[in-house]
Amino acid sequence: MEDSDEDLIKKYLEGNEDSFKVLLDRYISSIYNFSIRFVGKDYASDVTQDVFIKVWKNINKFDISKSHFKTWIFIIARNTITDYLRKKKMILFSSLDNDEESFEENIKDETILPDEALSRLEDKEFLNKTLDKIPSKYKEVLILHYQEEMTFVEIGEVLKKPTNT
């Protein structure tokens, strides 16, 4: 039976170095794929590495009673991506806290029929191009929900927003 994230953290804090490697292996692809969506392939490895360095440095501060590890690591990933983009002056997340725009204002073409939209969404290339066109605050929610299979409660924790938002 596979150890839970929390069990691995406890083991690591008790001195089992291999437990951290298991956590790293469990989340490295997800964090890399999440990063690539916002910083691109050229920088995703660096950002992912920074995320895991931060996780390693702060693992003793993780509070099992307050959060799931998956939520916690994605919060760190989001913050690391935001910091990286600010440093590179590629502010994609700057609109995340700006609620002045509505979702409807950002949809360019509303004439697509639902069955046509569904068939297009099945095309990975089309999806990636579409995700690149929508504001970051919507793209981030879609990636966390559909790619990372997070619940809206977990997404709310990562984004520090109420669930109904």
Side-chain angles (χ1 to χ4, degrees):
M1 185 172 169
E2 192 174 274
D3 286 331
S4 70
D5 294 344
E6 291 74 17
D7 290 339
L8 291 169
I9 292 166
K10 285 178 188 174
K11 287 179 181 180
Y12 175 73
L13 294 175
E14 292 169 356
N16 183 335
E17 299 287 327
D18 292 333
S19 295
F20 189 79
K21 183 182 180 327
V22 173
L23 276 174
L24 181 124
D25 290 342
R26 189 174 287 174
Y27 287 98
I28 196 161
S29 293
S30 294
I31 297 300
Y32 177 78
N33 289 330
F34 182 68
S35 300
I36 208 168
R37 299 284 190 174
F38 296 98
V39 301
K41 287 183 180 181
D42 294 338
Y43 305 107
S45 293
D46 292 339
V47 169
T48 302
Q49 180 177 350
D50 289 346
V51 168
F52 281 98
I53 289 170
K54 290 177 183 179
V55 168
W56 175 72
K57 286 182 177 180
N58 295 291
I59 194 86
N60 59 334
K61 296 177 187 175
F62 174 69
D63 187 350
I64 295 169
S65 66
K66 291 185 179 179
S67 177
H68 292 288
F69 181 75
K70 182 176 182 179
T71 305
W72 186 71
I73 196 170
F74 272 93
I75 290 170
I76 292 172
R78 180 179 189 263
N79 292 340
T80 303
I81 291 167
T82 301
D83 292 345
Y84 183 84
L85 293 174
R86 283 187 182 136
K87 287 177 189 173
K88 295 293 184 186
K89 307 234 187 266
M90 299 167 54
I91 312 294
L92 287 175
F93 285 116
S94 63
S95 63
L96 287 175
D97 297 322
N98 180 4
D99 292 330
E100 294 173 14
E101 295 179 305
S102 70
F103 182 73
E104 293 81 15
E105 292 172 354
N106 292 297
I107 298 175
K108 295 188 182 211
D109 185 5
E110 296 180 350
T111 60
I112 298 173
L113 297 173
D115 60 334
E116 183 181 353
L118 180 61
S119 66
R120 285 187 182 182
L121 286 176
E122 292 173 351
D123 181 357
K124 186 176 180 179
E125 185 175 319
F126 176 78
L127 179 59
N128 289 334
K129 287 179 184 177
T130 302
L131 283 173
D132 289 339
K133 292 178 184 177
I134 64 174
S136 293
K137 63 183 175 182
Y138 304 120
K139 177 164 82 172
E140 190 171 28
V141 171
L142 292 171
I143 291 169
L144 289 173
H145 183 69
Y146 290 104
Q147 181 178 329
E148 300 306 326
E149 298 178 357
M150 287 188 173
T151 66
F152 289 114
V153 172
E154 291 172 327
I155 293 170
E157 288 177 30
V158 170
L159 300 180
K160 297 180 182 157
K161 299 277 185 183
T163 303
N164 61 355
T165 301

